[in-house]
Amino acid sequence: MEQISSPITQQRAWVNINHQALRNNVQELKNFLTSNTQLMAVIKADAYGHGAIKVAETVLNAGVDYLAIATLTEGIELREAGINAPIMILGAINTADEVKEIVRYNLEPTLCTPSQAFVFAETLSCLNATLLVHLKLDTGMSRLGTHWHNAVDFVQYVQQFPQFQIKSIYSHLATADDINTSIMELQHSRFEEAISALKANGIKTPCLHLANSAGALSDRALHYDMVRIGLALYGVYPAPHLHQKVKLQATLEVKARITQIKTLLPNTGVSYGHTFVCDRLTKIAIVGIGYADGIPRLLSNKMKVIIRGQFVDQIGNITMDQLMLNITNFPDLEVGEIVTLLGKDEDLEISADDWANSIGTISWEILCSFKHRLPRINYHKKIDD
Ligand SMILES: *Cc1c(COP(=O)(O)O)cnc(C)c1O
């Protein structure tokens, strides 16, 4: 894949984004969805660290219907890049100034409470503008939204303002990646309860959506009119028991180069704190990537990397800009050699899940952790071979 001589990869460290894999994942997910269910691509947090603009272009081309981001700024960034697909904001917006920006950039906010709706309605009437809005119900996540049992009052409150057109009503699942589905089923039944109450009050329901990646993969009954897919788009499964449903490919790789090689005498300590001490003559490689790039320091002495299709142990504390490898068993390695921290090299692969499992976090957090100091290199054809 990357040639050592290629100018674009003459860097100490970088992130590869595989757009072919992204397209594959969109297609796999679309094939899996209940017919008539739309696919919303969740590209908040710079598309989980992949680069939101480039990801938006690829997934829209691959047939995604809708985009979702978390903050107003993320929405503006997409519009300024010329993305004109519908964009929903998942987070809560509360100020009149932000409402003006939403109108200006043609974004679709989430309304979570009547008082928030009131701020929007007032500002919109001053601007003589209308907005497509998405109403959020809380069915058990205990985060944003109005409680499901107040759905009718909330929807009727919003409906009284001619400034709003209710585009969708939605809720969010708290435990969809859990093998025990009881809480998810409770949330599903509360969502159903809210929908029935709306219908019983003569309210015509708009687009309805409930499922994130895990919800969509667990149960087709949760698909409704749209699913909001983040993690699965990036080729990572929300839980091991959901692997069988679709065939996803990881879309992000982290690579770096060996910048120096040296040999250490027995009893020599490595890196800050000397948490690794050589018990024999040890050859080490220094790699130009560290925790300031987003490699979790908690992986120190726990992680492996891949070089020339073989696993190599990382040793000593990971530092801000560099980390060390034990290459005693790999005498041929040279400065400039490419090291795979995450992703594939020949037949081996290291996944975001591998890292998350070894430090007690989740793959979502791993993906969002890579800093802008790492350039993103976008591949539109198959990376490997
Ligand atoms: C982030 C988010 C999603 C996407 O979740 P994944 O688990 O990454 O698929 C969906 N809905 C809401 C409300 C979110 O905040």
Side-chain angles (χ1 to χ4, degrees), residues 42 44 48 90 136 143 170-172 211-214 228-232 238 364:
V42 179
K44 61 190 177 188
Y48 294 40
L90 297 165
K136 182 85 183 263
R143 200 171 64 177
Y170 76 105
S171 187
H172 189 46
N212 51 8
S213 297
R228 304 183 304 273
I229 305 288
L231 192 74
W364 290 258

Side-chain angles (χ1 to χ4, degrees), residues 60 64-67 79 82-88 106-108:
L60 288 167
V64 151
D65 304 285
Y66 235 101
L67 300 174
R79 285 288 184 249
I83 306 284
N84 51 29
I87 301 176
M88 169 185 177
N106 185 27
L107 301 168
E108 303 177 13

Side-chain angles (χ1 to χ4, degrees), residues 118-139:
F118 182 75
V119 172
F120 266 81
E122 270 201 318
T123 314
L124 290 170
S125 76
C126 292
L127 298 172
N128 206 4
T130 61
L131 266 186
L132 299 173
V133 295
H134 303 265
L135 306 194
K136 182 85 183 263
L137 300 179
D138 182 358
T139 56

Side-chain angles (χ1 to χ4, degrees), residues 304-316:
K304 289 182 190 304
V305 301
I306 315 170
I307 309 177
R308 298 191 191 172
Q310 291 191 284
F311 283 124
V312 177
D313 288 327
Q314 187 278 324
I315 54 170

Side-chain angles (χ1 to χ4, degrees), residues 334-353:
E334 289 169 13
V335 168
E337 196 108 23
I338 293 173
V339 175
T340 299
L341 292 102
L342 263 196
K344 271 192 192 163
D345 179 24
E346 296 182 22
D347 296 334
L348 298 182
E349 182 167 10
I350 298 171
S351 70
D353 272 328

